[in-house]
Amino acid sequence: MKLIGFFRSGASYRVRIGLNLKGLTAEHAFRHLRKNEHKAADYLAVNPQGLVPTLFTDSGEALTQSIAILEWLDETHPTPSFLPKDPLQRARVRAFALAIACDVHPVQNLGVLNKLKAYGLDEAKANQWAKETNYDGLAACELMLAKEKGPFCFGAEPTLADICLVPQLVNARRFGADVSGFKRILE
């Protein structure tokens, strides 16, 4: 396998965590997001969105979108599983993971911050946007975990929820969001 990502990309980080939890290795290649290497024609030919990550399977198929890649990894390498067996708990794990991957991460990523700046928001205000977005999203996630027992988000084993949470905490801290009050998340 070959993973194309970027060191600071939360979505790439998710896939790296997933590969590590499965005990899988991949060759790593990088597209520097600040240098717009992900928008080069050769990369757009394999990932038309021009986003990272892209995972090339051993057969050479290109997979995009971190959640789709993680689900593929889980389906092709079922142990350890990223999702609980109980359907209700699976839905809760997916809801938590998607809250981060679809609602928090995209609106504070580099592409959105660059758009905000292009529309006239200065860098300090764009970073404030990212800080508040991270905080608000993690506050909702904290409530989603309020009745769950650990040590991981949804029990004794890491799940898709944990895979999504860890990189988002990194982003939140990078933008200066005070996460100290999120006791359950920090467990």
Side-chain angles (χ1 to χ4, degrees), residues 68-136:
I69 293 168
L70 290 164
E71 288 184 358
W72 177 83
L73 287 172
D74 210 33
E75 291 166 359
T76 58
H77 302 85
T79 305
S81 179
F82 294 153
L83 293 166
K85 292 189 186 322
D86 176 69
L88 187 59
Q89 199 68 341
R90 286 172 82 90
R92 287 183 177 124
V93 167
R94 282 187 175 116
F96 184 95
L98 292 172
I100 291 173
C102 298
D103 296 332
V104 180
H105 175 252
V107 297
Q108 58 83 68
N109 73 11
L110 182 61
V112 169
L113 295 178
N114 285 341
K115 281 279 191 207
L116 291 172
K117 292 174 200 171
Y119 290 136
L121 210 59
D122 67 32
E123 186 163 352
K125 287 183 180 169
N127 287 341
Q128 184 66 29
W129 163 276
K131 176 181 174 179
E132 291 172 7
T133 298
N134 274 287
Y135 182 87
D136 293 346

Side-chain angles (χ1 to χ4, degrees), residues 14-34:
R14 289 182 212 133
V15 175
R16 291 192 306 269
I17 291 170
L19 287 166
N20 285 325
L21 286 173
K22 296 286 186 183
L24 300 171
T25 58
E27 174 189 345
H28 292 272
F30 300 94
R31 292 288 169 146
H32 199 292
L33 300 183
R34 292 204 178 266

Side-chain angles (χ1 to χ4, degrees), residues 133-147:
T133 298
N134 274 287
Y135 182 87
D136 293 346
L138 290 173
C141 287
E142 176 77 1
L143 294 174
M144 294 171 81
L145 295 178
K147 295 179 183 176

Side-chain angles (χ1 to χ4, degrees), residues 33-46:
L33 300 183
R34 292 204 178 266
K35 295 179 182 176
N36 285 322
E37 292 175 355
H38 57 301
K39 300 298 184 184
D42 67 324
Y43 188 66
L44 291 172
V46 296

